[in-house]
Amino acid sequence: MTFETLIVEIRGAVALVTLNRPQALNALNSVVMRELSEAFKTFDTDPAVRAVVLTGSEKAFAAGADIKEMQHVEFAEAYSSDFLAGWAELPNFRKPLIAAVSGFALGGGCELAMMCDFIIASKTARFGQPEITLGIIPGMGGTQRLVRAIGKAKAMDLCLTGRMMDAEEAERSGLVARVVEPGKLIDEALAAAERIAGLSGPSVLMAKEAVNRAFELTLAEGLRFERRLFQALFATEDQKEGMAAFVEKRPPAFKNR
Ligand code: HXC
């Protein structure tokens, strides 16, 4: 796959996607959005891709939506084209998706990282929703996903002041799953993705689906949904294999059936 703004490398069962607009600190313009959407559609239907890592450069995961591209947009145009709605597709991607964040993850960049299943950050990572300093507000989920990730107090602080939070604060707040030394970021994210890719596909997809349902359902409905998926997994060969392997003290050989 060849793109103008992305580099896609297939490493075994893992696709490594690198945002590649260094001249604009990976600002997210319409080409990035279109190309990411195209890449993820391909991954969704390609059984050889079992997990994805999304990353940027050392200096910036992404410094936000492209301000130069949107500065002259008028309301009528934004409304009738449903400006930014294209980004709503990514959270529907069914396979595991890890964000590996180094440097700036600001505005749309922070929102893009939050659309991923979890974030592994380098110690250099800086997260923020600085839209307020431009006279706008977050438009790709910042006011919604940030609250769910780190709670109202910190989400309000970030959205209202536009200040940045470092990796240590982001991990402490629950935005980030792990913080690693700068040189180890990609290796750590790829290792996590490879580990997931080696597990039983149906259980991985269901675990992702069930965790995501926690944001939409009441506790009682969420628990029921989880239980039904849990029960369904007893219809898979991989459940038989996984449990037999444990009992026989050997590694499982999952068939993804
Ligand atoms: C377009 C951007 C950009 C952006 C950086 N650049 N961020 N271009 N859109 N979001 C460009 C700069 O114009 C500059 O290009 C080059 O990248 C390098 O940036 P510098 O500012 O020179 O780097 P530095 O001094 O290191 O400062 C880094 C920075 C700063 C703190 C990250 O660039 C910054 O504040 N960027 C904007 C962050 C932001 O406000 N993001 C939210 C955007 S709104 P030139 O050609 O001048 O050298 C948003 C809305 C989300 O995301 C909701 C809808 C998607």
Side-chain angles (χ1 to χ4, degrees):
M1 275 187 276
T2 312
F3 296 103
E4 187 188 322
T5 65
L6 309 176
I7 299 167
V8 175
E9 297 160 80
I10 303 296
R11 311 267 185 106
V14 177
L16 174 63
V17 180
T18 306
L19 300 169
N20 187 33
R21 291 191 72 214
Q23 73 285 8
L25 300 184
N26 291 330
L28 305 168
N29 64 8
S30 46
V31 182
V32 179
M33 183 176 78
R34 195 183 64 241
E35 293 191 336
L36 273 179
S37 161
E38 201 182 308
F40 279 87
K41 262 186 205 131
T42 309
F43 301 151
D44 230 342
T45 53
D46 182 353
V49 173
R50 297 174 50 79
V52 181
V53 172
L54 177 62
T55 194
S57 67
E58 238 174 84
K59 180 162 182 193
F61 176 74
D66 192 311
I67 300 168
K68 291 169 190 168
E69 187 184 62
M70 68 183 163
Q71 67 173 318
H72 299 300
V73 170
E74 297 291 342
F75 167 73
E77 180 192 345
Y79 184 74
S80 31
S81 66
D82 205 2
F83 185 41
L84 301 179
W87 288 103
E89 277 175 30
L90 193 61
N92 297 329
F93 181 62
R94 296 181 68 213
K95 296 179 182 178
L97 169 57
I98 300 172
V101 175
S102 176
F104 298 111
L106 302 177
C110 184
E111 294 168 304
L112 178 60
M114 287 193 289
M115 287 180 203
C116 300
D117 297 324
F118 62 93
I119 301 172
I120 300 181
S122 151
K123 274 189 175 160
T124 64
R126 312 254 282 154
F127 297 86
Q129 298 290 159
E131 289 89 342
I132 202 82
T133 66
L134 298 168
I136 55 169
I137 66 168
M140 280 163 55
T143 64
Q144 304 302 301
R145 289 201 178 89
L146 201 56
V147 180
R148 286 162 169 80
I150 67 177
K152 177 185 164 185
K154 273 195 185 284
M156 279 290 192
D157 179 2
L158 293 181
C159 289
L160 291 180
T161 67
R163 80 169 173 92
M164 293 184 212
M165 132 171 123
D166 64 18
E168 195 260 323
E169 183 181 0
E171 187 185 31
R172 184 162 26 94
S173 310
L175 180 63
V176 157
R178 313 179 193 175
V179 176
V180 299
E181 293 298 327
K184 302 221 165 99
L185 178 67
I186 300 299
D187 285 350
E188 180 93 5
L190 284 174
E194 276 155 23
R195 179 186 164 90
I196 297 167
L199 301 171
S200 168
S203 62
V204 166
L205 295 186
M206 285 192 197
K208 171 167 174 164
E209 193 177 358
V211 171
N212 281 331
R213 293 303 283 167
F215 293 107
E216 311 287 346
L217 300 177
T218 61
L219 180 60
E221 285 306 315
L223 291 172
R224 182 195 302 273
F225 182 76
E226 177 192 79
R227 204 161 58 242
R228 295 294 175 247
L229 292 183
F230 174 80
Q231 291 159 352
L233 284 168
F234 284 79
T236 63
E237 286 181 32
D238 283 350
Q239 174 269 328
K240 302 289 176 287
E241 168 61 13
M243 293 193 180
F246 175 81
V247 173
E248 292 159 19
K249 300 187 187 297
R250 60 171 173 83
F254 291 123
K255 292 191 179 137
N256 296 305
R257 280 197 294 248

